[in-house]
């Protein structure tokens, strides 16, 4: 990602994301929110209102990637995020990776798309070994990409059970139960 800062296509905005996104409709292909935890000033970046604004700021086929907490410590927060986003986006998924400096050594990513054709679990581009070497990719590979969506059993079970609990209400409409693999 650090190399991406040099791209003329890249524009970094630092500031209050909630206020920024209110002013931009249909302008973005990708929105990445790397916020602090959902307490204090960053709390608004984890709510339905923020994700509704994000959905309006995306172009058709746009995607969102947001900091998704740690499944070992924040399963309830993750469940709430997924549940809220499923009401807004046709595709919602959750992945995680190892980050030694983050509490518990893992961090999750909430991924949403406004296109029902999006499949986050399959890389859009599968780089060859040569391409990965040329880009100096030390961690990423198509295999690690797909593996990021394989959740520990306790997380899968918790999220599926909570989704089933919610399916019996919601103005009489059944919510889709998303199976996490």
């Amino acid at each position: 990602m650090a190399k991406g800062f040099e791209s003329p296509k890249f524009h970094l905005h630092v500031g209050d994301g909630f206020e920024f996104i209110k002013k931009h409709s249909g302008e973005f292909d990708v929105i990445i929110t790397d916020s602090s935890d959902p307490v204090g000033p960053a709390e608004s970046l984890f709510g339905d209102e923020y994700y509704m604004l994000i959905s309006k700021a995306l172009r058709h086929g746009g995607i969102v990637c947001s900091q998704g907490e740690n499944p070992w410590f924040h399963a309830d927060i993750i469940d709430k995020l997924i549940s809220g986003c499923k009401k807004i986006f046709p595709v919602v998924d959750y992945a995680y990776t190892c980050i030694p400096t983050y509490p518990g050594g893992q961090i999750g990513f909430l991924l949403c798309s406004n296109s029902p054709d999006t499949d986050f679990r399959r890389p859009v581009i599968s780089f060859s070994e040569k391409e990965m070497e040329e880009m100096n990719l030390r961690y990423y590979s198509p295999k690690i990409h797909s593996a990021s969506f394989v959740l520990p059993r306790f997380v899968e079970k918790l999220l599926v059970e909570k989704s089933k609990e919610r399916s019996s209400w919601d103005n009489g409409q059944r919510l889709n139960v998303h199976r996490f693999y």
Side-chain angles (χ1 to χ4, degrees):
M1 171 126 172
K3 288 187 176 194
F5 288 124
E6 299 166 7
S7 171
K9 297 180 193 177
F10 179 79
H11 301 283
L12 176 66
H13 301 278
V14 178
D16 185 331
F18 197 89
E19 291 304 314
F20 177 84
I21 210 73
K22 284 181 182 178
K23 301 172 187 168
H24 300 274
S25 181
E27 293 186 30
F28 301 102
D29 297 313
V30 177
I31 297 174
I32 300 171
T33 304
D34 184 13
S35 67
S36 57
D37 290 338
V39 291
E43 189 171 0
S44 66
L45 302 178
F46 287 79
D48 292 352
E49 186 179 0
Y50 180 65
Y51 285 98
M52 185 62 76
L53 288 170
I54 285 178
S55 75
K56 292 176 183 174
L58 289 173
R59 292 183 179 133
H60 178 70
I63 62 171
V64 176
C65 179
S66 293
Q67 192 266 84
E69 293 299 321
N70 183 315
W72 292 96
F73 306 123
H74 305 111
D76 287 342
I77 293 170
I78 295 165
D79 176 63
K80 183 180 174 192
L81 285 168
I82 291 170
S83 173
C85 287
K86 282 185 173 187
K87 296 174 187 173
I88 300 166
F89 297 95
V91 177
V92 178
D93 215 332
Y94 185 82
Y96 78 102
T97 192
C98 299
I99 302 286
T101 57
Y102 194 76
Q106 295 176 334
I107 191 166
F109 307 99
L110 179 68
L111 298 145
C112 307
S113 175
N114 62 15
S115 170
D117 299 326
T118 300
D119 182 358
F120 289 116
R121 293 167 185 243
R122 288 188 174 79
V124 174
I125 299 170
S126 287
F127 298 115
S128 69
E129 188 63 35
K130 181 182 177 194
E131 290 170 315
M132 289 187 287
E133 286 298 320
E134 288 171 356
M135 290 186 278
N136 196 28
L137 298 180
R138 294 174 41 200
Y139 186 84
Y140 181 83
S141 71
K143 288 180 184 177
I144 201 77
H145 176 110
S146 296
S148 297
F149 293 91
V150 178
L151 301 176
R153 286 186 64 243
F154 81 94
V155 178
E156 177 184 317
K157 187 175 179 180
L158 176 77
L159 295 176
V160 169
E161 286 175 4
K162 286 187 174 288
S163 183
K164 285 179 183 176
E165 289 171 13
R166 283 190 308 276
S167 69
S168 64
W169 58 273
D170 192 59
N171 297 329
Q173 294 179 334
R174 222 174 137 75
L175 296 175
N176 290 330
V177 175
H178 181 82
R179 180 83 175 140
F180 291 88
Y181 302 99

